[in-house]
Amino acid sequence: MDQVFKLIDKEKQRQREGLELIPSENYVSKEVLTAAGSILTNKYSEGYPSFKGIGENKEFWTDEKIAKEKLGNYRYYGGQENVDRIERLAISRACKLFHADHANVQPHSGANANEAVYWAWCRPGDTILAMSLPAGGHLTHGAPVTRSAHIYKFVGYGVDESGDIDYKELERIAIEEQPKIILIGFSAFMKVPDFKRVASIAKKVPGCLLMADMAHVAGLIAGGVHPNPLDYGFHVMTTTTHKTLRGPRGGLILSKGNVASPLKKPEHCLENIPILIDRAVFPGTQGGPLEHIVAAKAVAFGEALKPEFEDYAKRIVKNAKALAKALQKEGFILQGGGTENHLILINIKESFGIDGKFFERALDRVGLNLNANALPTDKGGAFRPSGVRLGTPAITTRGLNEKDMEIIAHLMRRVIDICVGLGEESLLGDAGDELANIKNEVKELALKHPVPGI
Ligand code: DSN
């Protein structure tokens, strides 16, 4: 057996015996796994399934008869009869889930999705206003190390003392800079954005594209426990499909506007953003789509459309609030004083005097996985930040409840009690031995809640 499979088995064991607290990770269903590992990986399908008729009849993608009549040929390869149908299913389910006029299901990742939207609407040198990285924004929202930051001029807004978006600052910069895109999105933010307020600010910036990167909370939106930016005048929403949405690793772009053939270059206006995005994904920034992943996305969107998913989304938030409360009781100081979504940021430096990386490594030793994360107040680099970031999407999938959140918070406090006052090298010595006992308790709790699909 190729040693890769041995390593996959080891990873299965790690996932089964540990508890995943990284807020951007999840466990997919067996069906999603099956589609992602299917023979669709053998197929090339550059281009798109037909979009003809979508303006008049949004349902046509799922209607076999109409689909046959209107089948256009926007693909660059033969043998598309099955792949086209699968991609149409993914598109129509995504549109239904997020109240969009159009979905591009081909982005390989959230980063690719964001880059395609920038390319669809901006030209080199144009200004994009987004949350800055230290405030909780994502790398692709203008961090100087990214390609986009070399192409566009990013200006950043921050958060206020309560941890919420500093809307006054956002408005001031928007009026001053007149950006081509205002982007609301984050990877370390625990409040619910006021989309209505941002849409009204955007009225003072003519021709500005309102974009939301909802990678972290897409599953909460799908489950109806978080507002949907597309319902508040936003033109575009990007997301990954693997976080709270619980699909395969990948990206997705949803938009409002005209939907037509991507073959003909449309007028550059906000109404045509769906077509501009299609052209920006392929051939603008990507080649052949990963149709096995598109199929897995379709399966995951189908799951998210079921009533059970609403219950799942509610339980994610309930667990996150319970975990936040239990952590505070154990002496952890939380950024923003708690959480309104699935994600918690702990100021570990202020709480116990150790940095985020040390705590991340110590928790790794007991099978509790989270990640070190910079806080808005951090001045240093991302490698030794003052915070850690954790969340509840994955453990909620495994069926852990609010009582279990108290147990997890207490296990984390016990790890702190072992580590405080010691250096990181102690993790390989005596502290490591003490942590081994906690690891057994984590394993016991984890094995009571099997990982779906494996
Ligand atoms: N890397 C993701 C996260 O963990 O938030 C964002 O893309």
Side-chain angles (χ1 to χ4, degrees), residues 23 133-137 159 163 187-191 320 324 327-328 332-339 341-348 351 370-378 385-391:
L133 187 64
V159 290
S187 64
F189 180 68
M190 71 312 282
K191 304 274 181 190
L327 285 166
Q328 284 173 315
F332 292 89
I333 297 168
L334 307 188
Q335 193 70 15
T339 183
N341 56 26
H342 64 299
L343 183 150
I344 297 164
L345 263 182
I346 302 177
N347 189 333
I348 202 71
S351 311
L370 45 59
N371 67 284
N373 210 97
L375 300 175
T377 43
D378 266 331
S386 311
V388 291
R389 190 185 68 149
L390 69 165

Side-chain angles (χ1 to χ4, degrees), residues 22-25 110-111 114 136-140 186-188 213 215-216 240 242-243 249 342-343 371 373 389:
I22 294 172
S24 46
E25 295 191 11
N114 286 346
H138 187 248
L139 273 173
T140 58
F186 43 82
S187 64
D213 175 348
H216 265 267
T240 49
H242 49 270
K243 297 188 174 91
R249 308 198 76 75
H342 64 299
L343 183 150
N371 67 284
N373 210 97
R389 190 185 68 149

Side-chain angles (χ1 to χ4, degrees), residues 172-417:
R172 179 185 59 71
I173 305 174
I175 292 170
E176 212 170 280
E177 295 280 347
Q178 294 292 304
K180 281 275 166 27
I181 296 180
I182 296 179
L183 169 53
I184 299 297
F186 43 82
S187 64
F189 180 68
M190 71 312 282
K191 304 274 181 190
V192 173
D194 187 345
F195 296 120
K196 202 168 156 199
R197 184 162 176 185
V198 177
S200 101
I201 292 172
K203 293 207 175 91
K204 298 173 190 168
V205 188
C208 165
L209 178 86
L210 269 177
M211 171 180 176
D213 175 348
M214 295 289 101
H216 265 267
V217 292
L220 304 185
I221 294 172
V225 295
H226 189 286
N228 179 346
L230 296 181
D231 293 340
Y232 291 89
F234 275 60
H235 306 102
V236 175
M237 171 177 145
T238 57
T239 180
T240 49
T241 45
H242 49 270
K243 297 188 174 91
T244 46
L245 194 49
R246 213 165 57 182
R249 308 198 76 75
L252 169 69
I253 309 174
L254 302 138
S255 50
K256 291 276 198 188
N258 300 326
V259 183
S261 160
L263 289 183
K264 207 170 128 228
K265 193 170 180 197
E267 189 197 334
H268 192 84
C269 61
L270 285 170
E271 291 71 31
N272 286 337
I273 197 71
I275 318 160
L276 294 166
I277 286 170
D278 278 344
R279 292 169 63 90
V281 173
F282 175 83
T285 52
Q286 283 191 177
L290 311 175
E291 290 296 346
H292 52 307
I293 298 301
V294 169
K297 287 174 186 172
V299 174
F301 301 156
E303 290 173 357
L305 281 165
K306 292 191 179 140
E308 301 90 279
F309 200 83
E310 282 177 31
D311 177 56
Y312 168 60
K314 277 188 199 135
R315 285 188 292 112
I316 292 178
V317 178
K318 246 191 194 172
N319 275 345
K321 286 183 194 276
L323 183 56
K325 207 166 141 204
L327 285 166
Q328 284 173 315
K329 246 171 101 184
E330 296 285 354
F332 292 89
I333 297 168
L334 307 188
Q335 193 70 15
T339 183
E340 294 175 1
N341 56 26
H342 64 299
L343 183 150
I344 297 164
L345 263 182
I346 302 177
N347 189 333
I348 202 71
K349 192 79 168 208
E350 195 186 340
S351 311
F352 299 106
I354 63 172
D355 73 36
K357 204 68 196 171
F358 183 12
F359 194 40
E360 176 198 297
R361 286 183 180 148
L363 287 174
D364 257 356
R365 308 284 294 199
V366 304
L368 290 175
N369 304 118
L370 45 59
N371 67 284
N373 210 97
L375 300 175
T377 43
D378 266 331
K379 297 280 171 277
F383 291 110
R384 306 297 315 199
S386 311
V388 291
R389 190 185 68 149
L390 69 165
T392 52
I395 50 176
T396 304
T397 293
R398 284 177 86 159
L400 277 81
N401 62 25
E402 287 158 278
K403 268 258 134 316
D404 297 315
M405 300 305 118
E406 287 171 21
I407 297 172
I408 291 172
H410 188 57
L411 289 165
M412 286 171 64
R413 176 62 209 236
R414 284 169 57 200
V415 171
I416 285 284
D417 290 341

Side-chain angles (χ1 to χ4, degrees), residues 61-134:
W61 283 316
T62 44
D63 185 320
E64 284 290 308
K65 192 170 154 278
I66 304 175
K68 261 188 208 139
E69 277 168 20
K70 302 220 174 193
L71 215 81
N73 188 3
Y74 305 142
R75 299 285 200 187
Y76 290 81
Y77 293 83
Q80 300 294 330
E81 60 267 35
N82 302 312
V83 159
D84 273 2
R85 282 183 190 143
I86 290 168
E87 193 165 329
R88 277 196 203 98
L89 270 177
I91 293 167
S92 64
R93 287 177 183 175
C95 286
K96 197 164 172 194
L97 205 48
F98 294 104
H99 316 159
D101 292 330
H102 183 49
N104 188 306
V105 296
Q106 294 189 2
H108 303 325
S109 69
N112 289 40
N114 286 346
E115 188 146 3
V117 176
Y118 302 155
W119 191 238
W121 192 240
C122 299
R123 284 297 156 260
D126 281 353
T127 301
I128 299 173
L129 173 57
M131 186 185 269
S132 70
L133 187 64

